[in-house]
Amino acid sequence: MKRIALALALLIAGTSHLFAADKLKVVTTTEDLASLTREVGGDRVEVNSIGRGYQDPHFIEPKPSFLLLLKNADLLVVVGLELEIGWLPPLLDQSRNNNIRPGATGHLDVSQGVEILDRPTAAVNRSMGDVHPLGNPHYWLDPANAVRIAIQIRNRLAQLRPADAGYFEQRLNDFKGRINEANKRWLAAMAPFKGAKIVTYHSSWPNFTKHFNLDVVGYVEPKPGITPSPTHTLELINLMKEQKIKVILMEPYFDRKTPDFIAAQTGAKVVVMYPSVGAVAGADDYIKLFDRNVADLTKALR
Ligand SMILES: [Zn+2]
C-alpha cells in the first residue's frame, strides 16, 4: 500500500514538473503589466507585451505578429477602462482565441482591483474626444496599485496553474518586500517637494502625483486625447504665470512644440518623464522605472 502511495506521489510530482516546464504563455497590452507578470510568474511564464513602453498606449499600430501572440496565448492581461479600445478588439477578433476573450479565465482586466481616479460623474460625450471615459486608465503609475495588479496576476496564474500556486505566492511576497523598500526611498526623495504645483501634457499622472503629493493644476491638452489649441494654451500660460508653475511634465511620445512654447513664455522647464517600463534605456522593470522617474523629477523640482 505504502509503495503504491509513493509511486503515485512520484507520478504526480513528475507530472506537475512536466507541466511546469511547459510555460504559460502570457500576453500583456503594456510593458508595465509584462514586468509585473514576470515578477509573479518567474520562470513558469513566457511573457510578451504588445505595446512598447515608448509608445502611447492609447494608439498602437496593429502588426501581424500580434495576432500570432494572441492566437497562442493562455492569458491576456489588459489595463482596461478603454485604454486599448482603439486597437485591441479587432486584434482579439482576428486571433480567434476564445480562451482570452473578455469573460474567459484567460482574460484578466486588472482595472477591477485597483484605485481608479477621475471617474466621471456625468455621462462623457465621446465626440469631445475624451479618451478616459470610464476613469483614468493610467493607474499603474502608483506603487500601491502595482501591488494590487500583482495580486490579481497571482490569483489568475494560480487558477490557471494550481500546481504552481505556492511558487507564485512566494514570488509575489518577494516583490511586495522589494517594492515596499523602494517606495520608502522614493517617498523620502520626494518629501521636500510636497504640494509642488505642476502641469502635465496628458492626464496620465493622477495616481503618481497623488502618491507623491504633487498638485497638477493644468494640462497642455484641453481634454484627454485632444491636441493643444491656441485658446487653451494662452489660458494655461496665464494660469502658470499666476501660480508660478515651474514644471511641465510630458511623455516622450508627445510633440514638444507646445510645451516648449509654454516654457519659453513662463520660464518653466519641460521635464520628460517615462510612463512605462521600456520607455527609456535602463527602465526595464517596474521598480527601475520609478527609480528613474523619481530621480529625474526631484532634479527638476530642486
Ligand atoms: Zn490617457
Side-chain angles (χ1 to χ4, degrees), residues 56-58 83 131-132 136-138 202-204 221 224-225 253-254:
D56 183 340
H58 289 287
L83 180 80
V131 292
H132 299 162
N136 199 295
H138 303 271
H202 180 71
S203 164
S204 29
E221 289 179 333
Y253 44 75
F254 291 125

Side-chain angles (χ1 to χ4, degrees), residues 20-134:
D22 179 19
K23 296 180 183 199
L24 271 175
K25 293 190 179 68
V26 184
V27 175
T28 65
T29 54
T30 69
E31 290 200 60
D32 310 287
L33 297 181
S35 172
L36 296 172
T37 305
R38 282 187 195 104
E39 293 286 5
V40 179
D43 60 14
R44 313 288 156 90
V45 293
E46 181 194 314
V47 189
N48 283 289
S49 173
I50 291 179
R52 301 259 71 105
Y54 51 81
Q55 293 176 309
D56 183 340
H58 289 287
F59 308 100
I60 303 289
E61 200 74 41
K63 281 191 208 161
S65 59
F66 299 158
L67 284 180
L68 198 66
L69 282 177
L70 290 169
K71 190 171 155 2
N72 296 321
D74 299 306
L75 174 63
L76 171 65
V77 189
V78 306
V79 172
L81 300 179
E82 299 201 351
L83 180 80
E84 301 101 340
I85 199 163
W87 56 272
L88 186 62
L91 283 174
L92 257 182
D93 283 345
Q94 289 166 54
S95 76
R96 299 184 183 189
N97 181 350
N98 287 329
N99 297 331
I100 58 164
R101 297 194 72 85
T105 314
H107 186 100
L108 176 61
D109 175 344
V110 289
S111 70
Q112 301 298 316
V114 298
E115 182 184 37
I116 304 296
L117 302 176
D118 310 337
R119 281 208 196 267
T121 45
V124 177
N125 185 350
R126 299 294 296 279
S127 67
M128 292 165 84
D130 194 328
V131 292
H132 299 162
L134 304 176

